[in-house]
Amino acid sequence: MPSRKALKALVEQTAKRYGVEIELVDALVVAESGYDPHAVSPVGAVGLMQVMPETAADYGVNSVEALFDPQTNVRTGVRHLKRLLGQFGIGKAVMAYNAGEGALSRHNGFVTYPETQRYTHRVLSSYLKKKGVSPYSLEARALTGITLTPSMATASATAGGRRTVRQIDPSRLRLRIRPTLSKRALDPGLHSSGPSSQPMFELQQPKPRLKPRN
């Protein structure tokens, strides 16, 4: 395994090559893997920058084994981070790196998942410290584009942001033709796709059965 010194030098060289701040990439690698090139997350993120195989494929890396190579991993992770930075700015890019761009959109630009809150606080506070900026200052807000708070560091599922899933028994669902559709929409040969199209069927839950009176 390469030494931490060699890995930090690799991070520095790659960050310079792609025009991303060394302090930010270093803080992200520490949070992601602690500079362990063999790290694998429970969801399958790999290596120093914990790159998902699906994300790596977008940058021409189609082998999970290749992501264990520090040079390939850091190059892929930094390229992905740079794209996120160009799209969102520092604070939101860090959130998107952890939770995904879809989560950022669903949460109106500020992901509330407790894990992402803690992660973002850790990465950005480390990054700001390296730059000599207080994490809760106006300067930090201007630099990162988001407002860090102490509560983000200890965010938990019980403190909000919990994702709940309602369980529905599929056997109790039934298909029903939408009553508002025209005859044209119901003819498969004439059905067209596009923004104005509507689904032909909708799932409908049956009404709860009334218990008989005693």
Side-chain angles (χ1 to χ4, degrees):
M1 182 183 295
S3 67
R4 186 173 180 119
K5 182 178 180 180
L7 293 173
K8 287 180 74 71
L10 172 63
V11 165
E12 182 175 340
Q13 293 165 7
T14 309
K16 286 181 178 179
R17 176 182 175 185
Y18 289 101
V20 180
E21 290 184 89
I22 297 170
E23 296 89 350
L24 181 59
V25 180
D26 176 69
L28 192 144
V29 172
V30 170
E32 289 286 355
S33 68
Y35 272 91
D36 178 4
H38 297 153
V40 179
S41 79
V43 296
V46 177
L48 288 168
M49 296 191 71
Q50 292 291 276
V51 180
M52 292 293 291
E54 297 84 354
T55 301
D58 292 339
Y59 299 91
V61 180
N62 297 304
S63 166
V64 175
E65 288 75 16
L67 290 175
F68 286 104
D69 171 59
Q71 190 172 17
T72 301
N73 189 285
V74 173
R75 181 177 65 249
T76 305
V78 170
R79 288 178 65 193
H80 182 54
L81 178 61
K82 181 176 182 177
R83 186 178 69 78
L84 295 175
L85 289 168
Q87 190 172 354
F88 301 115
I90 293 175
K92 293 181 180 181
V94 170
M95 285 188 163
Y97 194 95
N98 176 260
E101 297 164 70
L104 197 66
S105 299
R106 290 192 299 272
H107 288 250
N108 297 317
F110 193 85
V111 182
T112 57
Y113 302 155
E115 176 190 347
T116 302
Q117 293 273 302
R118 296 191 300 270
Y119 172 88
T120 301
H121 187 279
R122 182 180 180 187
V123 172
L124 292 184
S125 60
S126 175
Y127 160 71
L128 292 167
K129 183 178 180 181
K130 295 174 189 295
K131 297 183 73 69
V133 177
S134 172
Y136 309 128
S137 65
L138 292 177
E139 185 180 359
R141 171 71 176 82
L143 186 61
T144 65
I146 66 172
T147 301
L148 286 179
T149 63
S151 62
M152 290 173 66
T154 57
S156 65
T158 56
R162 177 184 293 169
R163 287 175 280 180
T164 58
V165 178
R166 184 183 176 189
Q167 299 293 334
I168 299 176
D169 181 3
S171 66
R172 301 193 67 236
L173 297 174
R174 63 184 178 186
L175 282 174
R176 176 174 178 269
I177 296 177
R178 294 173 65 91
T180 57
L181 293 181
S182 64
K183 291 183 179 179
R184 176 182 175 84
L186 294 174
D187 185 342
L190 300 175
H191 193 69
S192 60
S193 61
S196 61
S197 65
Q198 293 179 310
M200 294 176 64
F201 302 96
E202 62 184 8
L203 283 173
Q204 186 180 58
Q205 293 189 67
K207 296 179 180 180
R209 298 183 182 131
L210 297 176
K211 294 183 179 179
R213 296 180 181 178
N214 294 329

